[in-house]
Amino acid sequence: MTKAKKTKAPPRPTELDRIVTQLRAILRRRTSDVVKAGNLLIKARKLFAKEHGEWLAWLAENFDLSPRTAQRYVAAAEYVQKRHVSHFANLSASVLYRLAEGDFDEPVEAAILAEARERRVGEDAMWAICEKLAPPADDAGDADDQKDGGDDGGGAEAAEDLEIAAILDGEPPKPPPAPILPPINYALRDFDQACSCSARCCWRSASTSP
């Protein structure tokens, strides 16, 4: 006779587990409330379709938040209707705003919506999906450019080294030839000396005369 295996009872939820459950319910209601408020604003806007300027005046008087918030509510509700997102409650309000504003490309948007079918998607999960699907950095082109640049620099340095080695190993350079001086004109030198002597004599005679 075989003994029946005893199944372990599931652990009893702790106080923290209950807090997490309540917080998630509140957050889901918040996103749902955003969409509900957006639908109501859409209906109100349609009623003022034929009255120019009355919609914004009514919004300022009856909507306690900013016009920007009202635009986000409307955009979120329109996005849910257009994309038929039945699991939008698992999206945080901020992620839903980004989806409605078109901040993501199609692969990232599809990945976020697919993740929301399984679990709640907040800001952290959204950024994790974006990083996972981000295209790899194009380092190949930079590496090729650096390689080409390195080859050019290395060739120039090698040529310069060869030129220096040829200068050091070759024959010493010959000194430049001595400059050729013009011939001395002795007649002109004697004439200059005679003129200088005559000038001194004239000066002396002038100084000794009464």
Side-chain angles (χ1 to χ4, degrees):
M1 185 177 179
T2 58
K3 295 182 179 179
K5 294 182 179 180
K6 295 182 179 179
T7 58
K8 294 183 179 180
R12 297 181 61 184
T14 63
E15 184 67 20
L16 287 176
D17 293 333
R18 288 190 287 270
I19 291 174
V20 169
T21 301
Q22 293 175 5
L23 286 174
R24 287 177 176 173
I26 292 173
L27 292 175
R28 283 194 295 268
R29 286 200 301 269
R30 181 188 175 190
T31 305
S32 300
D33 290 342
V34 166
V35 176
K36 290 178 181 178
N39 287 327
L40 292 174
L41 290 172
I42 291 173
K43 291 180 180 179
R45 187 178 60 183
K46 289 180 179 179
L47 296 175
F48 291 100
K50 297 181 180 180
E51 301 179 17
H52 181 70
E54 295 297 327
W55 155 247
L56 293 178
W58 178 89
L59 189 66
E61 183 178 355
N62 297 280
F63 189 72
D64 295 337
L65 302 179
S66 65
R68 172 60 177 163
T69 302
Q71 293 175 358
R72 284 187 162 188
Y73 285 4
V74 170
E78 290 176 342
Y79 177 81
V80 170
Q81 293 176 5
K82 182 179 179 181
R83 296 301 302 269
H84 304 287
V85 184
S86 59
H87 47 281
F88 63 86
N90 277 342
L91 297 167
S92 69
S94 58
V95 174
L96 182 56
Y97 295 152
R98 287 178 175 271
L99 288 169
E101 293 172 358
D103 289 351
F104 310 108
D105 54 19
E106 292 184 3
V108 174
E109 180 184 7
I112 291 174
L113 295 178
E115 186 74 11
R117 295 189 185 96
E118 304 295 333
R119 58 186 60 86
R120 180 170 178 80
V121 178
E123 288 281 340
D124 293 339
M126 177 201 71
W127 287 118
I129 293 172
C130 292
E131 292 176 359
K132 182 179 179 181
L133 298 180
D138 188 11
D139 296 334
D142 296 339
D144 293 339
D145 295 341
Q146 292 177 0
K147 182 178 179 181
D148 296 340
D151 292 343
D152 294 341
E157 291 178 359
E160 185 178 356
D161 293 339
L162 290 175
E163 184 178 357
I164 294 174
I167 294 174
L168 294 177
D169 296 339
E171 296 181 357
K174 296 181 180 180
I180 301 175
L181 299 176
I184 301 175
N185 191 342
Y186 292 98
L188 181 62
R189 185 188 63 178
D190 295 340
F191 178 75
D192 291 339
Q193 291 178 354
C195 291
S196 177
C197 181
S198 175
R200 286 197 300 271
C201 293
C202 291
W203 180 82
R204 288 178 182 176
S205 60
S207 59
T208 54
S209 61

